[in-house]
Amino acid sequence: MQSRRPVRTGRTSRWSTLLAGACASTLLLAGCGAQATGGADGNGRAAEPVPAGVDCTGDGRLRGSGSTAQQSAMEHWIDEYQRACRGARIAYNPLGSGAGVAQFQRRATAFGGTDGVLSKQEIAWSRETCRGGRAIHLPMVGGPVAIGFNLPGVDHLVLDAPTLAKIFDSRITTWDAPAIRKLNPDTELPSLPIRPMHRSDDSGTTQNFQDYLAGAAPDAWPHSGAKSWQGKGGGAGSGSSRIASEVASSPGTIGYFELSFAASRGITTVSIDTGAGEPVVPTTKTASAGIGAAEIVGEGNDKTLAFDYDAPKPGAYPIVLMTYEVVCDKGNQAGSLPVLKSFLGYTAGAEGQKHLAALHYAPLPDAVAKEVRRAVRTLS
């Protein structure tokens, strides 16, 4: 049986400030707009070139909110787009997926960012929001959910889905357990207790990790793929940052979080044995391959993706968080529709996707991005 789951900076660009580490605390405010198109800024530094090939159709304001997982991508997209399209003002508030969907349903925003698909009830409610239409999902940015660990003397570790399921359900409790030794025959594993850490808050990251466990190891993980943690035992913390901090500071600890948290804290990550060739390391490239292995299962212009955990592909990382922009297929607000289509066309285009890997995101595979752009053009 197949298992599937339907996740202002003045005169220099936000992209350059992200790389430089400046303005790290700047939120996505509409006023961070007009930028230089060439020459040098007031400090004598060369200004970033204006992004090429951006269709600046229509001026106006656009508001979105939701997923924190895509916050850095949105910061980059908004600053780059506003440098190219000076008449547009875009704001994105990273309140979390649930709040983003709720604001979209109230027509407070033109789009909501979410790491999980809307329920059937939420789709039904959206028909009041989208007059004459309904909400659809547009996959826009993905990334690997990394499994980080802190094990003195061990810098490479392979685990598979059944073993991960038993570790996070407190049924494998020491690092030198036979199941772990079997997957790592050439590694000297210490006899340390395992301390699995999970999110205490409802989280799209949790949902995607549990979806993987339920789909790839249903006999070992008898729980649902919910946003709330379903496993037994272990420690808990709110937010990926807290989980990553616990892993980084506590020997014997293992936890799950977006790849950027592992990269920023120097946390070693698990390679996943999917049964399809060599174990797979979490990278933006292997996560993109994982997205490419998914199937579009949404109806009409809905581009919901489903991942088949029973048929892994070589080189494809299996634990992927996909963030969707939720929009109306019909009945969008007339004042923001032109800039909505222009902005989402840019984010799903080659210009919008090309720098995502440097931010630890997985760019959309070309075939998926093409479908998203086609759907964006039909919004009304």
Side-chain angles (χ1 to χ4, degrees), residues 132-159:
R134 50 153 286 188
I136 59 173
H137 303 84
L138 301 177
M140 200 61 69
V141 62
V145 178
I147 311 300
F149 68 96
N150 183 339
L151 205 51
V154 178
D155 57 11
H156 179 72
L157 186 70
V158 175
L159 296 174

Side-chain angles (χ1 to χ4, degrees), residues 181 183-188:
R181 291 203 310 268
L183 291 164
N184 300 272
D186 299 323
T187 301
E188 185 175 345

Side-chain angles (χ1 to χ4, degrees), residues 8-10 12-18 26-36 49-51 54 56 60-67 70-95 109 111 113 140 325 339-340 342-348 351-353 355-356 359 361:
R8 215 52 185 142
T9 58
T12 56
S13 74
R14 177 63 179 171
W15 175 239
S16 62
T17 57
L18 279 171
T26 301
L27 294 178
L28 304 179
L29 301 176
C32 298
Q35 312 257 347
V50 172
V54 181
C56 300
R61 296 180 180 272
L62 180 67
R63 295 180 61 84
S65 66
S67 166
Q70 68 172 355
Q71 181 176 353
S72 292
M74 274 289 171
E75 289 178 353
H76 167 63
W77 283 334
I78 289 173
D79 281 342
E80 292 289 278
Y81 181 84
Q82 289 184 157
R83 286 198 306 116
C85 306
R86 291 169 175 257
R89 290 294 177 267
I90 302 175
Y92 180 81
N93 196 350
L95 299 172
T109 58
F111 69 95
M140 200 61 69
E325 313 311 335
V339 69
L340 173 68
S342 174
F343 178 64
L344 295 183
Y346 154 72
T347 61
E351 187 69 31
Q353 293 283 312
H355 291 305
L356 292 182
L359 298 173
Y361 292 107

Side-chain angles (χ1 to χ4, degrees), residues 124-137:
W125 288 338
S126 76
R127 296 187 182 279
E128 297 182 8
T129 303
C130 307
R131 291 151 193 179
R134 50 153 286 188
I136 59 173
H137 303 84

Side-chain angles (χ1 to χ4, degrees), residues 19 34 145 315-316 341:
L19 293 180
V145 178
K341 296 174 69 173

Side-chain angles (χ1 to χ4, degrees), residues 67-321:
S67 166
T68 60
Q70 68 172 355
Q71 181 176 353
S72 292
M74 274 289 171
E75 289 178 353
H76 167 63
W77 283 334
I78 289 173
D79 281 342
E80 292 289 278
Y81 181 84
Q82 289 184 157
R83 286 198 306 116
C85 306
R86 291 169 175 257
R89 290 294 177 267
I90 302 175
Y92 180 81
N93 196 350
L95 299 172
S97 296
V101 170
Q103 288 201 342
F104 166 77
Q105 297 278 38
R106 295 198 302 270
R107 294 178 70 87
T109 58
F111 69 95
T114 177
D115 305 327
V117 299
L118 274 61
S119 66
K120 291 182 179 179
Q121 182 63 66
E122 287 171 325
I123 293 292
W125 288 338
S126 76
R127 296 187 182 279
E128 297 182 8
T129 303
C130 307
R131 291 151 193 179
R134 50 153 286 188
I136 59 173
H137 303 84
L138 301 177
M140 200 61 69
V141 62
V145 178
I147 311 300
F149 68 96
N150 183 339
L151 205 51
V154 178
D155 57 11
H156 179 72
L157 186 70
V158 175
L159 296 174
D160 59 12
T163 306
L164 279 168
K166 292 173 184 177
I167 287 172
F168 279 91
D169 210 22
S170 300
R171 285 178 285 132
I172 292 178
T173 58
T174 61
W175 281 109
D176 60 350
I180 302 177
R181 291 203 310 268
K182 183 177 180 180
L183 291 164
N184 300 272
D186 299 323
T187 301
E188 185 175 345
L189 295 163
S191 182
L192 270 179
I194 299 175
R195 182 182 179 234
M197 288 290 299
H198 61 266
R199 293 276 291 271
S200 59
D201 54 321
D202 287 359
S203 159
T205 310
T206 294
Q207 182 174 15
N208 282 272
F209 181 44
Q210 293 191 126
D211 278 342
Y212 164 70
L213 296 177
D219 294 336
W221 187 259
H223 309 295
S224 67
K227 288 186 177 181
S228 59
W229 183 250
Q230 304 294 301
K232 299 177 182 177
S238 179
S240 289
S241 181
R242 175 64 184 276
I243 302 301
S245 294
E246 290 289 331
V247 172
S249 62
S250 304
T253 303
I254 186 171
Y256 60 92
F257 31 74
E258 295 83 0
L259 181 62
S260 59
F261 290 94
S264 64
R265 289 167 170 78
I267 297 172
T268 309
T269 58
V270 170
S271 297
I272 304 295
D273 183 351
T274 66
E278 293 295 318
V280 187
V281 177
T283 66
T284 57
K285 183 177 180 180
T286 60
S288 287
I291 297 171
E295 178 185 356
I296 296 176
V297 296
E299 298 179 357
N301 286 320
D302 184 273
K303 303 303 176 183
T304 299
L305 298 175
F307 293 83
D308 185 357
Y309 299 115
D310 288 339
K313 294 188 177 182
Y317 189 75
I319 318 173
V320 179
L321 184 148

Side-chain angles (χ1 to χ4, degrees), residues 104 107 109-111 129-131 133-134 136 326-338 340-341 376 378-380:
F104 166 77
R107 294 178 70 87
T109 58
F111 69 95
T129 303
C130 307
R131 291 151 193 179
R134 50 153 286 188
I136 59 173
V326 175
V327 299
C328 294
D329 61 352
K330 299 177 182 178
N332 286 283
Q333 301 173 48
S336 60
L337 178 59
L340 173 68
K341 296 174 69 173
V376 168
T378 68
L379 301 180
S380 64

